[in-house]
Amino acid sequence: MSNRPISDFIEKYFLHFNAAALVDASKGYVAHLNDGGKMMITLAGAMSTAEMGKILAEMIRQDKVQIISCTGANLEEDVMNLVAHSHYKRVPHYRDLTPEQERELLDAHYNRVTDTCIPEEEAFRRLQTHLEDVWHAAEEKGERYFPHEFLYQVVNSGVLEQYYEIDPKDSWIVAAAEKNLPIVVPGWEDSTTGNIFTSNVIKGNLKASTVKSGIEYMIYLTEWYRANSGGKGVGFFQVGGGIAGDFPICVVPMMYQDLEWEDVPFWSYFCQISDSTTSYGSYSGAVPNEKITWGKLDIDTPKFIVESDATICVPLMFTYILENSK
C-alpha cells in the first residue's frame, strides 16, 4: 500500500478549478518547507469548534508550522472542546430553527456555531476558574503575559486534565503549549475569555494591563519576523479572512513603510482558503495580487486561493503536506 494515500487520491482526482488550486497550493507549501522556509498559519471562523485541532496538532508536532495567528475564539474553543466534548450538542437541522428555538438554546446555555452548540456552563466555566487563577497570580507578582501565554500556563499545569474528554493529541493548543509555539491573537478582547477578563477589570478585580495588548502582539510579531525571515523566508497560510489574517500580514509593510527598515523580506508564500468569493471592497474576497499594492507580497511570491469550505479543504491539504514534506 502507498505511504501517501491522500496525496495519491487528490493528485489523481483533483485536476481542475478549486480542486487543482488545492493541489497546487499544497505542493507550494511542501516546496516552501523543503527549501528551508517557515510558515505562519492563520485561523479565522470557528475552526477549533470544527475540530481542526485533530490535524493541526499533528502539523505542529511535526514542525510544519512555526507560528500561528488566530482569533480569541479559536484560541479558547480548542480547549473548550478538550474539556467538554461530550456536552456539545449537534444540530444538523440548524437551517430550520425558528427564532424561538434559538432562544430555547440560549436559555439552556448553549451557544450555537452553525450545526454545533457549545455548552456554556461546562466549557466556559470549567476554563474560567483556572484562567482567573493565573491572571491573579501574575498580577500579584507584578507580571504580565499575552493571552496565549496565560492559556499555556493553564494547559501545562495539568489542572485541566481532570476534565479531558478527548485524546489530548487531538488538541492543537496542547501541541502548541508543549512546544511553546509562538501565537498572536489580535482582537482577543472580543472572545468569551476576553469578555470574562474585561468583566473582572470593570469589577475592580484585575488590572487591564495584566494581559498584554494588541500593540504588544504586533511588536512581538515584528521581533519574531525579523529573527525568522532569512533564507527562504516566511510563508502565509490563511484559513478564512478577518483580523486573524489581516493583522499579521500587515507586519511587513509596517516595518518598511512606518519603521523605514529597508531590508524587510516580503511574505514568501501565500495561500488563502475561503468561501468568500471575489468581491469589491472585501478583504476576504480580495485576490492575492491586490496585496502586492499594499507591500505584503512581491511579484514572484507563489500565490494561491482556494474558494471552498476550509473544513473540507484544510484536512486534505495538511495531510498532503504531512505525507510529502521532509
Side-chain angles (χ1 to χ4, degrees), residues 7-250:
S7 302
D8 291 344
F9 177 85
I10 67 175
E11 286 177 355
K12 181 175 181 178
Y13 296 110
F14 284 31
L15 303 177
H16 300 284
F17 317 134
N18 270 313
L22 181 152
V23 176
D24 291 342
S26 301
K27 289 181 176 179
Y29 194 127
V30 170
H32 181 77
L33 292 184
N34 288 347
D35 287 344
K38 298 183 178 180
M39 189 67 71
M40 167 179 273
I41 291 176
T42 77
L43 297 176
M47 293 300 102
S48 289
T49 293
E51 298 186 71
M52 197 67 73
K54 287 188 172 184
I55 187 69
L56 179 56
E58 192 61 26
M59 290 281 284
I60 293 168
R61 282 192 290 269
Q62 294 195 28
D63 297 317
K64 308 307 180 190
V65 51
Q66 283 67 50
I67 185 169
I68 287 175
S69 172
C70 69
T71 58
N74 276 303
L75 185 75
E76 66 193 13
E77 287 174 12
D78 179 81
V79 180
M80 291 174 183
N81 178 62
L82 175 67
V83 301
H85 181 77
S86 67
H87 298 276
Y88 278 62
K89 179 183 180 68
R90 187 152 183 267
V91 188
H93 60 288
Y94 66 92
R95 292 182 177 87
D96 302 323
L97 294 176
T98 65
E100 290 75 19
Q101 290 172 315
E102 301 276 22
R103 179 56 193 258
E104 289 172 6
L105 289 172
L106 170 66
D107 293 341
H109 304 288
Y110 281 109
N111 300 144
R112 185 172 68 82
V113 180
T114 311
D115 68 347
T116 303
C117 293
I118 300 172
E120 178 185 330
E121 291 301 317
E122 290 80 5
F124 298 149
R125 305 313 164 194
R126 283 182 181 179
L127 182 56
Q128 176 178 351
T129 300
H130 301 294
L131 269 176
E132 288 178 337
D133 287 344
V134 294
W135 290 336
H136 283 290
E139 191 161 299
E140 288 169 5
K141 297 175 185 176
E143 296 173 350
R144 306 174 63 243
Y145 297 98
F146 287 116
H148 77 279
E149 292 176 320
F150 277 118
L151 194 57
Y152 281 0
Q153 290 175 24
V154 172
V155 170
N156 287 332
S157 73
V159 296
L160 296 179
E161 291 178 7
Q162 61 186 307
Y163 309 122
Y164 283 4
E165 295 192 349
I166 65 170
D167 188 332
K169 289 183 178 178
D170 290 338
S171 164
W172 75 266
I173 289 293
V174 169
E178 289 173 351
K179 281 187 172 287
N180 196 28
L181 190 79
I183 299 181
V184 295
V185 191
W188 173 75
E189 297 81 3
D190 79 351
S191 65
T192 298
T193 49
N195 290 171
I196 291 169
F197 179 79
T198 302
S199 71
N200 273 277
V201 173
I202 293 170
K203 292 174 183 177
N205 297 332
L206 290 165
K207 298 176 183 176
S209 58
T210 297
V211 175
K212 291 185 178 180
S213 69
I215 297 299
E216 289 168 290
Y217 257 136
M218 184 61 84
I219 295 168
Y220 170 81
L221 178 57
T222 301
E223 294 168 348
W224 184 92
Y225 194 91
R226 290 282 281 179
N228 289 274
S229 57
K232 184 64 177 177
V234 183
F236 198 95
F237 189 91
Q238 181 173 336
V239 181
I243 194 172
D246 202 17
F247 179 94
I249 205 168
C250 288

Side-chain angles (χ1 to χ4, degrees), residues 256-257 266 287-301 303:
Y256 79 78
Q257 291 178 4
F266 290 102
V287 296
N289 276 357
E290 186 175 296
K291 292 174 173 59
I292 296 173
T293 72
W294 289 88
K296 301 168 183 175
L297 307 179
D298 208 349
I299 294 170
D300 56 355
T301 303
K303 307 172 191 69

